[in-house]
Amino acid sequence: MFVYGSCVARDVFGYLDEQEFALGRYVARQSLVSVYAPIGGALTSADDAPAEVDMAAAPIPSFGARMVAEDRCSSLLPVLAEEAPRLHALVWDITDERLGVYRTADGYVTRSVELIASGADGILAAEYPLVPFASPEHLRLWIAALGRFVTDLATLGLLDRTLMLAVPWAEHTSDGNATPASMGTPPAAGNAAFAPYYAAAREHGVSVYELPAAAVRSDPGHRWGEAPFHYDERVYRTIAAELRSRFGVREPLLPDPQFARRYGWDKIVDPWLDSMPVRADRIPSAYRIWQSARRYLQAGNTERALQCEQLIKLLHNSYLSAECELGSRVEFGYGGIGLVVHKLAEVGDDVTLGSGVTLGGAFTPTRYSERHGRSLNVPRIEEAAVISTGAKILGGVTIGAFAIVGANSVVTKDVPPGAVVAGAPARVLRTLDAETVLRSRSAYLPLRPLSNDDLVARFSARVPAPA
């Protein structure tokens, strides 16, 4: 991708996938008028003495100094000719035209904020007339240069790969305030000034991408400062989506043979697979990582414990603090995908937690925790209880031993031992006993090794018989 223009096009690049787009060259602060009418010689003062500006010593960043120097020699065409064979997209915006050009004795110089900062603007203003942007003379010069530029783009094979961005100046900021003027030009006046330039580009066969004025907002916190052409993130993402649509990588139905030999089927996915440090069947469950986190925390290595918590987030998209109280042989559905467990929650031995389960806090109810010695508003899950996929257990409730909470239920009240509940809010559907518990034995994942007799004996020891 080649950018000719300003930060409007350049900032969009940050929202493109680096696997698809690479920025080849960026030419800025160079009016199309200057491109086809270079100044040629040195700037001179009133007494015809050389008035060269030392750009290295000028109070502007090196990028700005380089752009001003390249405008002096009209670098765009030589650079484009050099880059053309490897370019897939030329993205062009004309925001840098907004300050006009100086007409010198033998060419034109683009007026820019960097030229002003360098001190050369004062020399030029004293000697040469400024051709203001949107004046009849400027538009005439620009359209004449446009005709030559289109011919050169076609010769280089770039015309059908060129997209001009006709993004309006934002009249309002993302927080609803009026966007301030730029160098004395209000946004509405700026948009009216640019309109004939965009129209001329279309007439000359340039592809122009335009956004409606109502769809653009400026960002008052933009890194380059507040301006009508410093947009908020949504504008850049919209433009980036258009660039992906026009120029993005089109994956072939079958892999390129070289990629197939090197990567496999997909040239983006397979390198990620090859970079995995462990075999897929060796990825630890969230419970196993939590066990390591717990050991590190008890040993006083809090940094390592926090790393374990981050690994759980990375591998399983779950929150499971090292401070959580989990019993032995806790079983997580699918290794622990999508769990959110409050750090003060208490989970007993042989509990099953399905994927997407939340054990979270709420204002009420509360319960007294003997472990913590105070009242808590987070759940306690007793031995061998089953919390099915997507269930939410909220507040200081207790889920009794061997209770089963149905999928996607919302529990805000205590659940008795052996009860089967479901719904939002959850209600008791039935209560298991020593005879019926065997019908549900498949739900108690950690207890699968037990025989039927041992399961019934353990159930009977924890769940009181009905009166």
Side-chain angles (χ1 to χ4, degrees):
M1 173 174 162
F2 188 109
V3 169
Y4 169 39
S6 72
C7 57
V8 174
R10 175 62 183 86
D11 286 352
V12 173
F13 179 76
Y15 295 88
L16 294 170
D17 186 349
E18 63 180 11
Q19 298 288 336
E20 288 190 74
F21 291 86
L23 184 60
R25 294 291 290 271
Y26 176 27
V27 174
R29 318 304 186 251
Q30 197 166 145
S31 168
L32 199 59
V33 176
S34 175
V35 168
Y36 285 94
I39 186 173
L43 302 181
T44 58
S45 62
D47 58 3
D48 292 331
E52 289 290 343
V53 176
D54 183 1
M55 300 303 296
I60 57 176
S62 58
F63 168 80
R66 179 166 59 86
M67 292 299 102
V68 171
E70 289 190 6
D71 178 58
R72 295 276 302 282
C73 62
S74 298
S75 65
L76 176 65
L77 291 177
V79 171
L80 265 180
E82 178 184 346
E83 298 289 328
R86 67 191 190 97
L87 287 183
H88 192 63
L90 168 59
V91 182
W92 178 23
D93 77 86
I94 60 173
T95 306
D96 281 346
E97 301 280 359
R98 70 189 185 278
L99 299 181
V101 294
Y102 284 107
R103 185 175 67 249
T104 69
D106 53 2
Y108 291 87
V109 176
T110 306
R111 188 169 189 249
S112 65
V113 291
E114 285 83 3
L115 187 77
I116 295 170
S118 74
D121 185 66
I123 299 171
L124 289 164
E127 293 294 319
Y128 304 113
L130 176 69
V131 182
F133 176 65
S135 65
E137 182 181 1
H138 189 282
L139 182 59
R140 176 180 58 80
L141 292 169
W142 192 85
I143 292 176
L146 173 66
R148 297 176 63 182
F149 189 45
V150 167
T151 299
D152 288 336
L153 289 176
T155 302
L156 294 171
L158 294 176
L159 184 57
D160 61 349
R161 289 178 273 169
T162 298
L163 181 66
M164 174 183 278
L165 302 181
V167 185
W169 283 15
E171 299 186 21
H172 294 89
T173 66
S174 55
D175 51 16
N177 296 320
T179 303
S182 172
M183 303 286 284
T185 303
N191 289 330
F194 279 102
Y197 293 80
Y198 296 141
R202 291 189 184 92
E203 291 175 3
H204 281 73
V206 178
S207 293
V208 179
Y209 174 62
E210 185 172 5
L211 286 174
V216 298
R217 293 289 185 272
S218 64
D219 179 5
H222 196 283
R223 58 176 176 168
W224 307 127
E226 190 171 14
F229 43 83
H230 291 165
Y231 304 103
D232 68 4
E233 182 176 315
R234 291 172 298 176
V235 175
Y236 294 121
R237 290 194 180 280
T238 300
I239 302 171
E242 177 67 19
L243 294 181
R244 284 194 298 270
S245 175
R246 289 179 181 251
F247 303 116
V249 175
R250 303 292 192 269
E251 296 295 341
L253 182 62
L254 295 175
D256 179 273
Q258 292 185 355
F259 280 113
R261 285 193 295 270
R262 185 175 179 184
Y263 296 125
W265 176 257
D266 190 296
K267 67 180 181 182
I268 293 178
V269 173
D270 283 281
W272 281 93
L273 300 179
D274 295 340
S275 70
M276 290 179 65
V278 294
R279 299 198 329 255
D281 61 354
R282 301 287 291 176
I283 294 177
S285 69
Y287 182 67
R288 182 162 183 168
I289 303 172
W290 171 84
Q291 289 178 311
S292 293
R294 193 71 176 169
R295 294 188 192 102
Y296 284 123
L297 185 66
Q298 292 171 344
N301 192 340
T302 55
E303 180 178 358
R304 196 76 168 169
L306 287 173
Q307 285 181 315
C308 288
E309 293 181 15
Q310 296 302 318
L311 185 61
I312 291 173
K313 290 180 182 179
L314 180 65
L315 294 180
H316 300 286
N317 193 31
S318 294
Y319 173 78
L320 192 60
S321 171
E323 299 179 44
C324 291
E325 299 288 347
L326 303 184
S328 301
R329 300 173 302 279
V330 174
E331 186 84 22
F332 290 159
Y334 297 97
I337 296 175
L339 292 175
V340 177
V341 180
H342 195 285
K343 67 179 182 180
L344 296 180
E346 299 170 35
V347 178
D349 295 341
D350 298 311
V351 165
T352 299
L353 299 179
S355 59
V357 164
T358 297
L359 306 182
F363 290 113
T364 56
T366 61
R367 62 177 176 83
Y368 182 78
S369 170
E370 295 182 359
R371 185 188 301 271
H372 294 281
R374 60 189 175 94
S375 293
L376 298 176
N377 62 342
V378 295
R380 176 174 61 220
I381 314 299
E382 294 187 342
E383 175 187 342
V386 176
I387 315 299
S388 302
T389 299
K392 316 299 180 190
I393 317 298
L394 305 175
V397 301
T398 297
I399 308 299
F402 284 86
I404 298 176
V405 177
N408 297 317
S409 298
V410 179
V411 180
T412 57
K413 295 181 180 180
D414 289 349
V415 175
V420 178
V421 303
R427 60 184 181 86
V428 177
L429 302 181
R430 64 183 185 277
T431 300
L432 303 176
D433 56 28
E435 294 182 3
T436 58
V437 67
L438 291 178
R439 300 174 189 169
S440 301
R441 71 164 297 150
S442 61
Y444 303 109
L445 299 181
L447 303 182
R448 285 173 295 183
L450 298 181
S451 66
N452 287 348
D453 290 343
D454 289 340
L455 176 61
V456 170
R458 185 162 170 184
F459 175 87
S460 299
R462 297 292 289 116
V463 180

